[in-house]
Amino acid sequence: MHKRMGTSLALGLILSACGGQVASDQNASAQADQPAGPATWSDRTRSQLRQAIEGRVAHGLDHMAFDATASDDAALNEQALRYAAALARGATDPTKLYEVYTVPRPSPDLKAGLAAALRAGNLTQWLDGLAPQDANYKRLSDAYGKLVRQPQNPDTRIEGNGEAIKPGATDPRLPAIARELVVLDYLAPDAARGDSYAPAMVDAVRRMQADYGMKPDGIIGSEALAILNMSDADRARAVAVAMERLRWLERRPPATRIDVNIAAARLTYWRDGKIVDARKVVVGEPDTETPQLGSPIFRLVANPTWTVPRSIEKKELAKKGPGYLRANNMVWKDGWIVQQPGPKNSLGLVKFDMQNDHAIYLHDTPAKALFGMVQRQRSHGCVRVEDALGFAEMLARDEGVLDEWHKARETGKETFVKLPHQIPVRLLYQTVLFDDDGEPIVRNDPYGWDDRVGAALGFKAGKALRVQSGAADVGP
Protein backbone atom coordinates (compact mmCIF):
# COMPACT_ATOMS: atom_id res chain seq x y z
CA MET A 1 0.00 0.00 0.00
CA HIS A 2 3.04 2.27 0.00
CA LYS A 3 4.12 1.73 -3.59
CA ARG A 4 5.70 4.53 -5.57
CA MET A 5 3.42 6.26 -8.05
CA GLY A 6 4.71 6.53 -11.58
CA THR A 7 3.70 7.88 -14.95
CA SER A 8 1.08 5.21 -15.51
CA LEU A 9 -0.96 6.36 -12.53
CA ALA A 10 -2.83 8.89 -14.64
CA LEU A 11 -3.87 6.08 -16.94
CA GLY A 12 -4.44 3.64 -14.10
CA LEU A 13 -7.33 5.40 -12.45
CA ILE A 14 -9.54 2.92 -10.76
CA LEU A 15 -12.38 4.25 -12.88
CA SER A 16 -10.92 2.37 -15.81
CA ALA A 17 -11.59 -0.91 -14.06
CA CYS A 18 -15.18 -0.94 -15.24
CA GLY A 19 -14.75 -1.52 -18.95
CA GLY A 20 -14.94 -5.27 -19.26
CA GLN A 21 -17.65 -7.84 -19.82
CA VAL A 22 -18.64 -9.70 -16.68
CA ALA A 23 -20.03 -13.08 -15.92
CA SER A 24 -23.27 -11.67 -14.49
CA ASP A 25 -24.30 -10.52 -17.98
CA GLN A 26 -23.74 -14.02 -19.33
CA ASN A 27 -25.47 -15.58 -16.33
CA ALA A 28 -28.49 -13.34 -16.78
CA SER A 29 -28.84 -14.50 -20.39
CA ALA A 30 -28.46 -18.14 -19.44
CA GLN A 31 -30.93 -17.80 -16.61
CA ALA A 32 -33.54 -16.37 -18.94
CA ASP A 33 -33.46 -19.64 -20.88
CA GLN A 34 -33.96 -21.82 -17.80
CA PRO A 35 -37.26 -23.72 -17.82
CA ALA A 36 -39.85 -22.65 -15.29
CA GLY A 37 -40.26 -24.86 -12.26
CA PRO A 38 -40.25 -24.90 -8.48
CA ALA A 39 -37.46 -22.87 -6.92
CA THR A 40 -37.00 -24.23 -3.43
CA TRP A 41 -34.04 -24.35 -1.11
CA SER A 42 -32.05 -27.52 -0.62
CA ASP A 43 -29.39 -28.37 1.93
CA ARG A 44 -26.83 -27.72 -0.79
CA THR A 45 -28.05 -24.22 -1.71
CA ARG A 46 -28.47 -23.30 1.98
CA SER A 47 -24.85 -24.27 2.52
CA GLN A 48 -23.78 -22.29 -0.55
CA LEU A 49 -25.52 -19.15 0.70
CA ARG A 50 -23.96 -19.54 4.12
CA GLN A 51 -20.49 -19.96 2.62
CA ALA A 52 -20.96 -16.95 0.33
CA ILE A 53 -22.02 -14.71 3.20
CA GLU A 54 -19.20 -15.98 5.42
CA GLY A 55 -16.80 -15.02 2.61
CA ARG A 56 -18.15 -11.49 2.16
CA VAL A 57 -14.82 -10.06 3.35
CA ALA A 58 -13.70 -10.56 -0.26
CA HIS A 59 -16.06 -7.71 -1.16
CA GLY A 60 -15.39 -5.49 1.86
CA LEU A 61 -18.87 -6.28 3.19
CA ASP A 62 -17.75 -7.93 6.44
CA HIS A 63 -18.99 -4.97 8.53
CA MET A 64 -22.55 -5.59 7.35
CA ALA A 65 -24.85 -8.24 8.78
CA PHE A 66 -26.44 -10.89 6.55
CA ASP A 67 -28.31 -13.91 7.94
CA ALA A 68 -28.10 -17.29 6.21
CA THR A 69 -29.35 -19.31 9.17
CA ALA A 70 -33.09 -18.86 8.56
CA SER A 71 -35.10 -22.06 8.39
CA ASP A 72 -37.92 -21.06 6.02
CA ASP A 73 -37.62 -20.37 2.30
CA ALA A 74 -39.10 -16.87 2.47
CA ALA A 75 -36.46 -15.63 4.91
CA LEU A 76 -33.69 -17.29 2.90
CA ASN A 77 -34.98 -15.66 -0.27
CA GLU A 78 -34.92 -12.27 1.43
CA GLN A 79 -31.34 -12.63 2.64
CA ALA A 80 -30.12 -14.11 -0.64
CA LEU A 81 -31.65 -11.24 -2.62
CA ARG A 82 -30.24 -8.67 -0.21
CA TYR A 83 -26.75 -10.10 -0.51
CA ALA A 84 -27.09 -10.49 -4.28
CA ALA A 85 -28.17 -6.85 -4.56
CA ALA A 86 -25.11 -5.76 -2.56
CA LEU A 87 -22.87 -7.55 -5.06
CA ALA A 88 -24.76 -6.56 -8.20
CA ARG A 89 -25.65 -2.91 -7.48
CA GLY A 90 -23.91 -2.07 -4.22
CA ALA A 91 -24.94 -2.45 -0.61
CA THR A 92 -25.74 1.26 -0.52
CA ASP A 93 -27.77 3.55 -2.77
CA PRO A 94 -25.72 6.50 -4.05
CA THR A 95 -28.89 8.41 -4.98
CA LYS A 96 -29.75 8.45 -1.26
CA LEU A 97 -26.22 9.13 -0.06
CA TYR A 98 -25.72 12.12 -2.36
CA GLU A 99 -27.96 14.96 -3.42
CA VAL A 100 -26.97 14.34 -7.04
CA TYR A 101 -25.98 10.98 -8.54
CA THR A 102 -27.00 10.22 -12.13
CA VAL A 103 -24.26 7.83 -13.29
CA PRO A 104 -25.87 4.76 -14.97
CA ARG A 105 -26.15 1.73 -12.66
CA PRO A 106 -26.70 -2.01 -13.16
CA SER A 107 -30.27 -3.33 -13.00
CA PRO A 108 -30.24 -7.15 -13.18
CA ASP A 109 -33.38 -9.19 -12.50
CA LEU A 110 -32.22 -10.71 -9.22
CA LYS A 111 -35.47 -12.55 -8.44
CA ALA A 112 -35.31 -14.39 -11.75
CA GLY A 113 -31.60 -15.04 -11.22
CA LEU A 114 -32.16 -16.49 -7.75
CA ALA A 115 -34.98 -18.73 -8.97
CA ALA A 116 -32.83 -20.06 -11.81
CA ALA A 117 -29.86 -20.63 -9.49
CA LEU A 118 -32.04 -22.57 -7.03
CA ARG A 119 -33.47 -24.72 -9.79
CA ALA A 120 -29.93 -25.43 -11.05
CA GLY A 121 -28.73 -26.09 -7.51
CA ASN A 122 -25.78 -23.72 -8.04
CA LEU A 123 -26.14 -20.56 -6.00
CA THR A 124 -22.37 -20.12 -5.82
CA GLN A 125 -21.88 -19.58 -9.55
CA TRP A 126 -24.71 -17.05 -9.72
CA LEU A 127 -23.49 -15.01 -6.73
CA ASP A 128 -19.87 -15.11 -7.90
CA GLY A 129 -20.87 -13.55 -11.23
CA LEU A 130 -22.73 -10.56 -9.78
CA ALA A 131 -19.82 -8.45 -8.52
CA PRO A 132 -17.43 -6.73 -10.98
CA GLN A 133 -15.14 -9.27 -12.63
CA ASP A 134 -12.30 -7.01 -13.77
CA ALA A 135 -8.69 -7.14 -12.59
CA ASN A 136 -8.84 -3.92 -10.59
CA TYR A 137 -11.75 -5.12 -8.47
CA LYS A 138 -9.77 -8.30 -7.81
CA ARG A 139 -6.74 -6.23 -6.79
CA LEU A 140 -8.87 -4.24 -4.37
CA SER A 141 -10.32 -7.43 -2.95
CA ASP A 142 -6.86 -8.90 -2.42
CA ALA A 143 -5.58 -5.69 -0.82
CA TYR A 144 -8.57 -5.52 1.52
CA GLY A 145 -8.09 -9.12 2.60
CA LYS A 146 -4.44 -8.49 3.45
CA LEU A 147 -5.26 -5.34 5.41
CA VAL A 148 -7.95 -6.91 7.58
CA ARG A 149 -5.98 -10.12 8.21
CA GLN A 150 -2.76 -8.51 9.33
CA PRO A 151 -2.31 -6.74 12.68
CA GLN A 152 -1.62 -3.01 12.69
CA ASN A 153 1.94 -2.68 11.47
CA PRO A 154 3.75 -0.07 13.57
CA ASP A 155 6.38 0.30 10.87
CA THR A 156 3.83 1.92 8.57
CA ARG A 157 3.17 4.78 10.99
CA ILE A 158 5.43 7.79 11.43
CA GLU A 159 5.55 8.27 15.17
CA GLY A 160 5.77 11.67 16.78
CA ASN A 161 8.41 12.05 19.47
CA GLY A 162 7.51 15.54 20.66
CA GLU A 163 10.11 17.20 18.45
CA ALA A 164 9.24 18.93 15.20
CA ILE A 165 11.50 18.40 12.20
CA LYS A 166 12.82 21.70 10.85
CA PRO A 167 14.34 22.38 7.41
CA GLY A 168 17.95 21.24 7.22
CA ALA A 169 17.62 18.78 10.09
CA THR A 170 18.36 15.06 9.98
CA ASP A 171 15.87 12.56 11.37
CA PRO A 172 15.40 8.80 10.98
CA ARG A 173 11.69 9.39 10.21
CA LEU A 174 12.42 11.34 7.03
CA PRO A 175 12.58 8.35 4.62
CA ALA A 176 9.08 7.29 5.74
CA ILE A 177 7.86 10.88 5.43
CA ALA A 178 9.34 11.14 1.93
CA ARG A 179 7.60 7.91 0.95
CA GLU A 180 4.20 9.30 1.97
CA LEU A 181 4.86 12.60 0.19
CA VAL A 182 5.54 10.62 -2.99
CA VAL A 183 2.30 8.66 -2.56
CA LEU A 184 0.36 11.91 -2.10
CA ASP A 185 2.00 13.35 -5.25
CA TYR A 186 3.80 16.21 -3.51
CA LEU A 187 7.32 14.87 -4.00
CA ALA A 188 9.03 13.38 -7.05
CA PRO A 189 10.24 9.80 -6.46
CA ASP A 190 13.85 10.68 -7.29
CA ALA A 191 13.85 13.37 -4.56
CA ALA A 192 12.95 10.91 -1.78
CA ARG A 193 16.43 10.12 -0.52
CA GLY A 194 18.26 9.91 2.79
CA ASP A 195 17.43 11.13 6.27
CA SER A 196 18.23 14.80 5.62
CA TYR A 197 15.40 17.32 5.37
CA ALA A 198 16.46 18.77 2.02
CA PRO A 199 14.92 21.78 0.17
CA ALA A 200 12.88 19.65 -2.27
CA MET A 201 11.14 17.90 0.61
CA VAL A 202 10.66 21.17 2.48
CA ASP A 203 8.91 22.62 -0.56
CA ALA A 204 6.70 19.53 -0.79
CA VAL A 205 5.70 19.83 2.89
CA ARG A 206 4.92 23.53 2.46
CA ARG A 207 2.61 22.84 -0.46
CA MET A 208 0.88 20.10 1.51
CA GLN A 209 0.45 22.39 4.51
CA ALA A 210 -1.06 25.11 2.33
CA ASP A 211 -3.53 22.65 0.81
CA TYR A 212 -4.69 21.55 4.26
CA GLY A 213 -5.11 25.06 5.68
CA MET A 214 -1.97 24.94 7.83
CA LYS A 215 0.77 27.54 8.14
CA PRO A 216 3.14 26.65 5.25
CA ASP A 217 6.34 26.91 7.29
CA GLY A 218 7.81 23.55 6.24
CA ILE A 219 8.11 22.42 9.86
CA ILE A 220 6.93 18.83 10.30
CA GLY A 221 5.03 18.76 13.57
CA SER A 222 2.09 16.78 14.87
CA GLU A 223 -0.41 18.29 12.39
CA ALA A 224 1.71 17.44 9.36
CA LEU A 225 2.31 13.92 10.67
CA ALA A 226 -1.45 13.49 11.10
CA ILE A 227 -1.88 14.11 7.37
CA LEU A 228 0.91 11.70 6.44
CA ASN A 229 -0.17 8.92 8.78
CA MET A 230 -2.90 6.56 7.71
CA SER A 231 -3.63 3.41 9.70
CA ASP A 232 -4.31 0.05 8.11
CA ALA A 233 -7.91 0.45 9.32
CA ASP A 234 -8.17 3.72 7.41
CA ARG A 235 -6.72 2.09 4.31
CA ALA A 236 -9.04 -0.90 4.58
CA ARG A 237 -12.05 1.39 4.85
CA ALA A 238 -10.98 3.36 1.76
CA VAL A 239 -10.47 0.15 -0.25
CA ALA A 240 -13.88 -1.20 0.81
CA VAL A 241 -15.49 2.08 -0.24
CA ALA A 242 -13.67 1.88 -3.58
CA MET A 243 -15.09 -1.60 -4.20
CA GLU A 244 -18.58 -0.38 -3.32
CA ARG A 245 -18.30 2.48 -5.81
CA LEU A 246 -17.30 0.02 -8.53
CA ARG A 247 -20.34 -2.10 -7.74
CA TRP A 248 -22.51 0.97 -8.37
CA LEU A 249 -21.32 1.12 -11.98
CA GLU A 250 -22.77 -0.66 -15.00
CA ARG A 251 -20.64 -3.62 -16.00
CA ARG A 252 -20.61 -2.73 -19.70
CA PRO A 253 -20.05 1.03 -19.95
CA PRO A 254 -19.89 2.63 -23.42
CA ALA A 255 -16.69 1.64 -25.22
CA THR A 256 -16.20 5.30 -26.21
CA ARG A 257 -16.56 7.58 -23.21
CA ILE A 258 -14.86 10.10 -20.95
CA ASP A 259 -14.35 9.28 -17.27
CA VAL A 260 -13.44 12.03 -14.83
CA ASN A 261 -12.22 11.08 -11.37
CA ILE A 262 -13.31 14.08 -9.30
CA ALA A 263 -11.29 13.04 -6.25
CA ALA A 264 -8.03 12.73 -8.21
CA ALA A 265 -8.89 15.56 -10.65
CA ARG A 266 -7.94 13.45 -13.67
CA LEU A 267 -9.66 12.66 -16.96
CA THR A 268 -9.47 9.43 -18.96
CA TYR A 269 -10.67 9.25 -22.57
CA TRP A 270 -11.73 5.83 -23.86
CA ARG A 271 -12.12 5.17 -27.57
CA ASP A 272 -13.48 1.82 -28.78
CA GLY A 273 -12.64 0.17 -25.48
CA LYS A 274 -9.08 1.48 -25.19
CA ILE A 275 -7.60 4.39 -23.24
CA VAL A 276 -6.29 6.88 -25.79
CA ASP A 277 -5.73 9.94 -23.59
CA ALA A 278 -5.43 11.00 -19.95
CA ARG A 279 -4.90 14.48 -18.55
CA LYS A 280 -5.34 16.68 -15.49
CA VAL A 281 -8.51 18.60 -14.76
CA VAL A 282 -9.63 21.17 -12.21
CA VAL A 283 -12.89 20.36 -10.42
CA GLY A 284 -15.14 21.98 -7.82
CA GLU A 285 -13.76 23.10 -4.49
CA PRO A 286 -15.16 21.44 -1.34
CA ASP A 287 -17.90 24.06 -0.93
CA THR A 288 -19.00 23.86 -4.56
CA GLU A 289 -18.45 20.19 -5.31
CA THR A 290 -18.59 18.77 -8.81
CA PRO A 291 -21.54 16.32 -8.69
CA GLN A 292 -21.38 12.67 -9.74
CA LEU A 293 -23.11 12.79 -13.11
CA GLY A 294 -23.64 10.70 -16.18
CA SER A 295 -24.04 13.24 -18.97
CA PRO A 296 -22.97 13.24 -22.65
CA ILE A 297 -21.02 15.85 -24.61
CA PHE A 298 -23.22 16.69 -27.61
CA ARG A 299 -21.36 19.63 -29.14
CA LEU A 300 -18.17 21.69 -29.06
CA VAL A 301 -18.45 25.44 -28.57
CA ALA A 302 -15.69 27.54 -30.10
CA ASN A 303 -15.00 30.99 -28.61
CA PRO A 304 -17.72 30.59 -25.96
CA THR A 305 -19.47 33.35 -24.09
CA TRP A 306 -20.10 32.87 -20.36
CA THR A 307 -23.31 33.90 -18.68
CA VAL A 308 -22.34 34.37 -15.04
CA PRO A 309 -24.58 32.35 -12.69
CA ARG A 310 -26.49 34.32 -10.04
CA SER A 311 -24.54 32.59 -7.26
CA ILE A 312 -21.19 33.77 -8.62
CA GLU A 313 -22.61 37.18 -9.51
CA LYS A 314 -23.74 37.76 -5.93
CA LYS A 315 -20.76 36.20 -4.17
CA GLU A 316 -17.88 37.21 -6.43
CA LEU A 317 -18.96 40.20 -8.53
CA ALA A 318 -21.46 42.14 -6.40
CA LYS A 319 -18.80 44.54 -5.12
CA LYS A 320 -16.98 44.86 -8.44
CA GLY A 321 -17.46 48.10 -10.31
CA PRO A 322 -17.91 48.87 -14.03
CA GLY A 323 -14.15 49.04 -14.44
CA TYR A 324 -13.76 45.39 -13.48
CA LEU A 325 -16.46 44.35 -15.94
CA ARG A 326 -14.82 46.30 -18.78
CA ALA A 327 -11.37 44.93 -17.94
CA ASN A 328 -12.73 41.38 -18.11
CA ASN A 329 -14.81 41.92 -21.25
CA MET A 330 -18.11 41.57 -19.35
CA VAL A 331 -21.38 43.28 -20.26
CA TRP A 332 -24.93 43.34 -18.95
CA LYS A 333 -27.38 41.56 -21.23
CA ASP A 334 -31.05 40.96 -20.41
CA GLY A 335 -30.33 41.32 -16.71
CA TRP A 336 -27.35 38.95 -16.69
CA ILE A 337 -23.60 39.54 -16.72
CA VAL A 338 -22.19 37.98 -19.90
CA GLN A 339 -18.47 37.61 -20.59
CA GLN A 340 -17.65 37.98 -24.27
CA PRO A 341 -15.40 35.56 -26.22
CA GLY A 342 -11.67 35.99 -25.98
CA PRO A 343 -8.54 34.93 -24.09
CA LYS A 344 -9.85 36.36 -20.78
CA ASN A 345 -13.12 34.44 -20.94
CA SER A 346 -13.48 32.15 -17.92
CA LEU A 347 -14.43 29.28 -20.25
CA GLY A 348 -11.28 29.82 -22.27
CA LEU A 349 -11.51 29.14 -25.99
CA VAL A 350 -13.62 25.98 -25.97
CA LYS A 351 -16.58 24.60 -24.07
CA PHE A 352 -17.65 20.95 -24.18
CA ASP A 353 -21.43 21.25 -23.93
CA MET A 354 -23.12 18.52 -21.89
CA GLN A 355 -26.75 17.60 -21.39
CA ASN A 356 -27.76 17.77 -17.72
CA ASP A 357 -29.96 19.79 -15.39
CA HIS A 358 -27.08 21.05 -13.25
CA ALA A 359 -25.23 23.38 -15.66
CA ILE A 360 -22.11 21.22 -15.36
CA TYR A 361 -19.77 20.88 -18.34
CA LEU A 362 -16.12 20.59 -19.35
CA HIS A 363 -14.26 23.68 -20.59
CA ASP A 364 -10.99 25.48 -21.15
CA THR A 365 -9.64 28.10 -18.73
CA PRO A 366 -7.22 31.03 -18.82
CA ALA A 367 -6.01 30.01 -15.33
CA LYS A 368 -3.42 27.51 -16.59
CA ALA A 369 -1.34 27.59 -13.39
CA LEU A 370 -4.02 25.59 -11.55
CA PHE A 371 -3.04 22.46 -13.44
CA GLY A 372 0.37 22.56 -11.76
CA MET A 373 -1.20 22.18 -8.32
CA VAL A 374 -1.47 18.85 -6.53
CA GLN A 375 -4.94 19.48 -5.11
CA ARG A 376 -6.98 20.71 -8.05
CA GLN A 377 -10.36 21.15 -6.36
CA ARG A 378 -10.39 24.86 -7.26
CA SER A 379 -13.45 25.63 -9.40
CA HIS A 380 -17.08 26.51 -8.76
CA GLY A 381 -18.22 23.05 -9.90
CA CYS A 382 -17.49 22.69 -13.61
CA VAL A 383 -14.53 20.72 -14.96
CA ARG A 384 -11.60 22.62 -16.46
CA VAL A 385 -9.52 20.53 -18.86
CA GLU A 386 -5.75 20.77 -19.26
CA ASP A 387 -4.85 21.74 -22.85
CA ALA A 388 -8.56 21.89 -23.65
CA LEU A 389 -7.92 23.06 -27.21
CA GLY A 390 -5.77 19.99 -27.83
CA PHE A 391 -8.46 17.79 -26.36
CA ALA A 392 -11.15 19.43 -28.50
CA GLU A 393 -8.97 18.88 -31.58
CA MET A 394 -8.70 15.20 -30.66
CA LEU A 395 -12.46 14.78 -30.22
CA ALA A 396 -13.23 16.68 -33.42
CA ARG A 397 -10.81 14.49 -35.38
CA ASP A 398 -12.19 11.29 -33.87
CA GLU A 399 -15.76 12.37 -34.62
CA GLY A 400 -15.01 13.49 -38.19
CA VAL A 401 -15.79 17.20 -37.71
CA LEU A 402 -12.26 18.60 -37.70
CA ASP A 403 -12.83 20.96 -40.65
CA GLU A 404 -16.00 22.33 -39.07
CA TRP A 405 -14.16 22.83 -35.80
CA HIS A 406 -11.29 24.76 -37.44
CA LYS A 407 -13.77 27.02 -39.25
CA ALA A 408 -15.66 27.64 -36.02
CA ARG A 409 -12.50 28.67 -34.19
CA GLU A 410 -11.49 31.07 -36.99
CA THR A 411 -14.71 33.08 -36.65
CA GLY A 412 -13.65 34.52 -33.30
CA LYS A 413 -17.31 34.40 -32.33
CA GLU A 414 -19.30 31.88 -30.33
CA THR A 415 -19.90 29.03 -32.79
CA PHE A 416 -21.38 25.58 -32.22
CA VAL A 417 -20.16 22.33 -33.74
CA LYS A 418 -22.54 19.43 -33.17
CA LEU A 419 -20.96 16.01 -32.72
CA PRO A 420 -22.41 13.29 -34.97
CA HIS A 421 -22.32 10.94 -31.97
CA GLN A 422 -22.72 12.05 -28.38
CA ILE A 423 -19.81 11.06 -26.12
CA PRO A 424 -20.91 9.81 -22.69
CA VAL A 425 -19.16 11.41 -19.72
CA ARG A 426 -19.07 9.90 -16.25
CA LEU A 427 -18.09 12.19 -13.38
CA LEU A 428 -17.03 9.71 -10.71
CA TYR A 429 -15.32 9.85 -7.33
CA GLN A 430 -12.55 7.42 -6.41
CA THR A 431 -9.93 7.97 -3.70
CA VAL A 432 -7.98 4.78 -4.48
CA LEU A 433 -5.70 4.68 -7.53
CA PHE A 434 -3.29 2.11 -8.89
CA ASP A 435 0.48 2.51 -9.14
CA ASP A 436 2.85 1.17 -11.81
CA ASP A 437 2.79 -2.30 -10.28
CA GLY A 438 -1.01 -2.45 -10.16
CA GLU A 439 -1.10 -2.00 -6.39
CA PRO A 440 -3.89 0.18 -4.93
CA ILE A 441 -2.82 3.32 -3.09
CA VAL A 442 -5.10 5.50 -0.98
CA ARG A 443 -5.18 9.18 -1.86
CA ASN A 444 -6.89 12.24 -0.43
CA ASP A 445 -10.67 12.39 0.07
CA PRO A 446 -11.13 16.08 -0.81
CA TYR A 447 -14.91 16.24 -0.30
CA GLY A 448 -15.10 13.82 2.63
CA TRP A 449 -17.44 11.68 0.52
CA ASP A 450 -15.86 8.43 1.69
CA ASP A 451 -17.32 9.05 5.15
CA ARG A 452 -20.96 8.52 4.26
CA VAL A 453 -20.25 5.44 2.15
CA GLY A 454 -18.01 3.95 4.82
CA ALA A 455 -20.61 4.58 7.51
CA ALA A 456 -23.33 2.96 5.40
CA LEU A 457 -21.05 -0.09 5.02
CA GLY A 458 -20.68 -0.30 8.80
CA PHE A 459 -17.20 1.23 9.22
CA LYS A 460 -16.23 3.62 11.95
CA ALA A 461 -15.37 7.16 10.92
CA GLY A 462 -11.96 7.60 9.35
CA LYS A 463 -9.56 10.52 9.13
CA ALA A 464 -11.30 13.90 9.03
CA LEU A 465 -8.51 15.99 7.49
CA ARG A 466 -9.79 17.77 4.38
CA VAL A 467 -8.22 19.97 1.76
CA GLN A 468 -8.98 23.67 2.10
CA SER A 469 -8.42 24.93 -1.40
CA GLY A 470 -10.67 27.91 -2.15
CA ALA A 471 -11.66 28.82 -5.70
CA ALA A 472 -8.83 30.69 -7.35
CA ASP A 473 -10.98 32.85 -9.66
CA VAL A 474 -14.59 33.66 -10.57
CA GLY A 475 -14.82 31.00 -13.29
CA PRO A 476 -17.38 28.18 -13.21
Side-chain angles (χ1 to χ4, degrees):
M1 299 298 291
H2 291 282
K3 294 282 187 177
R4 177 182 60 83
M5 291 187 299
T7 56
S8 70
L9 179 58
L11 300 180
L13 298 183
I14 198 168
L15 312 179
S16 67
C18 306
Q21 180 176 339
V22 299
S24 58
D25 294 322
Q26 298 170 339
N27 290 348
S29 176
Q31 291 155 6
D33 296 331
Q34 290 286 340
T40 59
W41 288 84
S42 64
D43 289 342
R44 178 186 180 186
T45 52
R46 290 170 188 264
S47 176
Q48 289 175 340
L49 178 60
R50 183 173 61 254
Q51 291 175 4
I53 289 177
E54 288 174 351
R56 64 191 184 280
V57 66
H59 303 283
L61 296 172
D62 49 314
H63 289 252
M64 301 191 74
F66 297 89
D67 183 13
T69 63
S71 58
D72 62 286
D73 285 7
L76 285 169
N77 286 341
E78 180 182 354
Q79 289 302 312
L81 289 172
R82 180 167 168 258
Y83 186 59
L87 298 178
R89 289 174 52 82
T92 61
D93 185 347
T95 65
K96 295 179 179 178
L97 293 175
Y98 300 100
E99 183 177 351
V100 177
Y101 190 96
T102 66
V103 181
R105 300 181 64 200
S107 57
D109 187 342
L110 296 178
K111 289 184 178 180
L114 174 60
L118 290 176
R119 284 194 295 269
N122 196 339
L123 201 69
T124 301
Q125 182 180 7
W126 175 61
L127 290 173
D128 286 347
L130 293 176
Q133 302 295 304
D134 56 86
N136 283 352
Y137 189 87
K138 179 66 165 58
R139 292 188 187 106
L140 289 174
S141 176
D142 291 344
Y144 183 79
K146 293 176 183 177
L147 286 167
V148 298
R149 284 194 300 267
Q150 68 187 21
Q152 173 69 49
N153 183 357
D155 293 337
T156 65
R157 293 187 61 79
I158 307 166
E159 300 295 340
N161 58 12
E163 295 184 8
I165 306 175
K166 298 181 179 180
T170 57
D171 193 288
R173 295 171 292 175
L174 284 168
I177 291 172
R179 177 193 62 206
E180 291 301 320
L181 289 169
V182 170
V183 166
L184 293 173
D185 217 14
Y186 286 101
L187 185 66
D190 58 4
R193 299 174 181 173
D195 59 359
S196 177
Y197 194 16
M201 190 184 300
V202 174
D203 181 63
V205 170
R206 284 174 175 160
R207 287 187 290 133
M208 181 189 73
Q209 289 171 322
D211 281 342
Y212 283 86
M214 299 164 55
K215 181 180 179 181
D217 55 14
I219 298 174
I220 304 174
S222 58
E223 284 186 304
L225 288 179
I227 298 171
L228 295 169
N229 271 324
M230 179 175 284
S231 69
D232 284 345
D234 289 327
R235 297 178 194 280
R237 171 178 169 270
V239 171
V241 169
M243 282 193 281
E244 174 72 354
R245 286 197 167 107
L246 289 186
R247 290 191 292 266
W248 290 345
L249 301 179
E250 58 187 341
R251 304 297 189 259
R252 287 180 172 180
T256 295
R257 68 185 186 275
I258 295 168
D259 285 340
V260 174
N261 185 343
I262 303 167
R266 294 178 184 269
L267 174 153
T268 306
Y269 173 36
W270 292 77
R271 192 82 192 179
D272 299 326
K274 297 180 180 179
I275 296 176
V276 295
D277 187 69
R279 59 187 66 214
K280 297 176 182 178
V281 295
V282 173
V283 296
E285 63 174 318
D287 289 333
T288 55
E289 299 99 334
T290 298
Q292 298 168 89
L293 296 179
S295 176
I297 293 174
F298 68 97
R299 67 183 179 186
L300 304 177
V301 185
N303 313 305
T305 61
W306 178 45
T307 300
V308 180
R310 293 297 188 201
S311 58
I312 297 179
E313 176 189 328
K314 294 176 181 179
K315 185 177 180 180
E316 310 284 348
L317 302 181
K319 297 181 181 179
K320 306 288 187 182
Y324 177 88
L325 298 184
R326 285 194 300 271
N328 288 277
N329 204 17
M330 294 178 172
V331 298
W332 284 97
K333 184 176 181 180
D334 300 327
W336 295 81
I337 297 177
V338 178
Q339 191 174 36
Q340 301 302 300
K344 292 185 178 181
N345 189 284
S346 294
L347 302 185
L349 296 175
V350 57
K351 174 184 177 184
F352 304 82
D353 246 346
M354 296 166 59
Q355 291 181 336
N356 59 75
D357 297 328
H358 307 281
I360 296 295
Y361 45 83
L362 279 60
H363 65 92
D364 186 18
T365 178
K368 309 297 186 186
L370 296 180
F371 296 109
M373 295 184 173
V374 174
Q375 306 295 345
R376 294 186 296 279
Q377 287 74 30
R378 308 276 175 173
S379 80
H380 285 92
C382 286
V383 180
R384 309 178 187 185
V385 180
E386 183 181 35
D387 183 23
L389 281 176
F391 191 53
E393 186 94 355
M394 182 183 301
L395 296 186
R397 181 182 300 107
D398 289 347
E399 291 296 317
V401 292
L402 192 58
D403 289 344
E404 293 93 324
W405 172 244
H406 287 164
K407 292 175 182 177
R409 283 206 60 204
E410 291 169 0
T411 66
K413 300 178 180 179
E414 185 173 61
T415 308
F416 305 96
V417 177
K418 185 177 180 180
L419 298 180
H421 307 98
Q422 295 185 356
I423 301 177
V425 178
R426 304 190 302 179
L427 305 181
L428 307 173
Y429 191 89
Q430 276 288 14
T431 58
V432 181
L433 309 181
F434 290 115
D435 68 7
D436 285 344
D437 298 324
E439 291 295 320
I441 57 173
V442 179
R443 291 288 301 277
N444 179 55
D445 177 15
Y447 296 167
W449 280 358
D450 278 5
D451 293 344
R452 61 191 76 178
V453 182
L457 293 175
F459 288 84
K460 295 180 180 179
K463 293 176 64 176
L465 290 167
R466 300 287 174 252
V467 169
Q468 300 177 18
S469 55
D473 51 51
V474 301

